[in-house]
Amino acid sequence: MSVSPWLLDGLVVLTVSVVLLALASPRIRHSNQWQATVTPLASIIGSGFLLVAPLLHASLGKWALAGIVVLTFVAYNIGMVIRFNIVHAEVWVEEYPQGRVARIEALSQWMLGLAYTISVAFYASLLAAFVFEKLGISSGTAMRWAATGLLTGVMAVAWARGARGLEVIELVAVTIKVAIIGGVLLALAYYDAATGIAWFEHEPLEPLTPYKTAAILAGMLMVTQGFETARFMGERYTREVRVLAVKQSQWIATAIYVVFIGVTCPIFFRFPIAELNETAVSTTLGQVVFVLPAFLLVAASASQLSAALADTIGGGGLFQQRLKTKTRLSSNVFYVIVAGMAIILLWTADVFELVNYASKGFAAYYLLQVVIAIGLVARRGSGNRLWLVGLVPLALLLVFVVLGSIAAPHS
């Protein structure tokens, strides 16, 4: 059965408009809980919405949906650890600032700050790639210069307005992004139902051994990252609000990712990926819904910009926190430093390498957070001791991500 492209285009535009109006309403826009949820949500979706579908479909084929379920399941369990540590580890560190837990926390924050810097470079690179693909420009050097210009702009805003200036842009970008995602998902679901294309039939770009498949999947952990940013929003939000922000951001992101991978399964079967690159999702989905490339370009810009801002805030705040006893520099300076380090990185690695490097960095941070949780449960009895049964395998899994993850094969 054929589907009218005008119908799909209209469905996208209508859905985007409705969701945009709902999210822009004063009740939601001024909600303290929503404002707390926006930063982790921006980072999670920005981390991988544009890459997760081509990455999983090209690497796992018909098992792509299973792959995202595994990734989000692992991420949600890590989120439980982050929520546990917001309630218990923060109090422990306040009581014993020179103790072992405090030292592990400090080390984990250094690792996370470096991971944020890598991810900022990734976001800027991906944004430039999408824009230049629409302009028909394939020069890698030109893309890097464009990404450099973007990060220079971020540095200017950070220097002049600090976190508040960055957060205002972030809120607008997230609102636009979520509205577009809603339209994209509904249009693709309708297309699948109307055409009746086969599900779970497509093969990966190249046959992979079980170990290599696991290693590539581990290298995609970054696409679920971002919920941990709520750990470092304590100056503006209570522990209860931050715990719920972690949970809500993961619920929303998990629903988006699982539905997105599900509805794109028939589409990547009908329009197979010829080569894996930064803009594969736009190229493929543009063959289904004509208006999608334009909307995805806007979503790409909003997605990567909001995520870059979120992680610039996170990374700068972490570095300042760790050095606050040794320097009197303002937080604005540290935001500029993070963006400057990201500029160096984007000239030394491609997008898929940055994804893998960042995954290793975030996994190292999560591993240390799991170690803290294990120590608190074993020593203090915080929480349910049955947690230890799940925490140890989770720690081993994160060790594998740090040591064994690899980038997906790409052009």
Side-chain angles (χ1 to χ4, degrees):
M1 173 182 174
S2 61
V3 181
S4 168
W6 291 102
L7 176 61
L8 290 177
D9 290 348
L11 189 60
V12 171
V13 174
L14 177 61
T15 305
V16 170
S17 301
V18 170
V19 177
L20 192 60
L21 288 173
L23 293 179
S25 66
R27 180 179 179 182
I28 294 179
R29 191 172 71 251
H30 298 307
S31 165
N32 187 59
Q33 187 63 61
W34 174 244
Q35 290 174 356
T37 303
V38 160
T39 293
L41 180 61
S43 190
I44 298 172
I45 301 177
S47 299
F49 179 72
L50 298 169
L51 279 184
V52 68
L55 271 174
L56 284 169
H57 288 298
S59 302
L60 277 68
K62 59 189 175 185
W63 297 102
L65 184 58
I68 195 61
V69 169
V70 169
L71 279 175
T72 52
F73 176 77
V74 171
Y76 193 78
N77 280 276
I78 297 172
M80 291 175 62
V81 173
I82 298 299
R83 299 200 305 270
F84 176 88
N85 285 348
I86 288 175
V87 176
H88 299 284
E90 289 183 7
V91 176
W92 187 273
V93 170
E94 290 172 1
E95 293 178 358
Y96 306 98
Q98 303 302 320
R100 183 178 301 174
V101 171
R103 292 196 297 272
I104 298 174
E105 176 66 27
L107 176 60
S108 74
Q109 289 184 12
W110 279 115
M111 296 300 303
L112 183 60
L114 293 173
Y116 278 148
T117 303
I118 298 171
S119 65
V120 170
F122 157 68
Y123 299 137
S125 298
L126 189 56
L127 195 160
F130 263 80
V131 172
F132 274 59
E133 189 263 344
K134 296 306 172 192
L135 297 175
I137 302 173
S138 58
S139 170
T141 301
M143 291 180 190
R144 284 184 166 90
W145 277 116
T148 300
L150 171 66
L151 290 179
T152 302
V154 170
M155 293 168 70
V157 174
W159 179 264
R161 302 296 300 275
R164 181 57 59 189
L166 297 175
E167 286 176 343
V168 170
I169 302 173
E170 178 186 81
L171 180 60
V172 174
V174 169
T175 300
I176 294 172
K177 174 175 59 179
V178 172
I180 291 176
I181 288 174
V184 169
L185 296 182
L186 187 60
L188 295 180
Y190 180 83
Y191 178 86
D192 293 342
T195 57
I197 305 174
W199 289 58
F200 311 121
E201 297 289 342
H202 57 300
E203 298 298 328
L205 276 180
E206 61 180 66
L208 302 173
T209 64
Y211 175 82
K212 191 170 183 180
T213 299
I216 290 174
L217 193 61
M220 298 180 198
L221 180 66
M222 182 196 168
V223 303
T224 63
Q225 162 276 327
F227 49 87
E228 75 290 334
T229 54
R231 278 291 313 268
F232 312 106
M233 297 159 61
E235 292 185 0
R236 300 190 300 280
Y237 304 104
T238 65
R239 286 193 173 92
E240 292 75 17
V241 170
R242 288 185 290 135
V243 165
L244 186 56
V246 174
K247 188 178 295 185
Q248 288 182 339
S249 63
Q250 287 197 293
W251 284 345
I252 297 170
T254 296
I256 288 173
Y257 277 156
V258 171
V259 173
F260 185 49
I261 296 302
V263 297
T264 52
C265 278
I267 293 165
F268 278 92
F269 170 68
R270 182 168 183 174
F271 306 102
I273 298 175
E275 58 180 11
L276 180 59
N277 55 43
E278 299 96 320
T279 59
V281 65
S282 179
T283 303
T284 301
L285 299 187
Q287 299 178 75
V288 176
V289 186
F290 299 145
V291 77
L292 277 190
F295 272 94
L296 285 173
L297 178 60
V298 177
S301 302
S303 179
Q304 303 318 301
L305 179 59
S306 61
L309 294 174
D311 285 4
T312 299
I313 294 171
L318 280 171
F319 288 142
Q320 182 192 31
Q321 184 174 326
R322 297 277 34 102
L323 295 171
K324 62 183 177 181
T325 59
K326 300 178 182 179
T327 179
R328 295 183 179 180
L329 296 176
S330 71
S331 57
N332 296 22
V333 175
F334 287 95
Y335 301 145
V336 170
I337 291 173
V338 168
M341 293 169 62
I343 289 174
I344 296 173
L345 284 170
L346 66 85
W347 283 93
T348 58
D350 66 38
V351 168
F352 294 95
E353 290 171 340
L354 289 171
V355 170
N356 186 37
Y357 294 154
S359 291
K360 291 178 183 292
F362 287 116
Y365 168 75
Y366 296 144
L367 175 60
L368 292 174
Q369 290 295 305
V370 172
V371 170
I372 289 173
I374 290 174
L376 289 177
V377 172
R379 179 188 301 177
R380 195 179 182 185
S382 301
N384 192 330
R385 287 184 178 273
L386 290 176
W387 263 51
L388 292 175
V389 177
L391 289 176
V392 173
L394 184 59
L396 294 175
L397 178 61
L398 290 169
V399 170
F400 174 71
V401 177
V402 174
L403 300 179
S405 64
I406 60 176
H410 56 277
S411 58

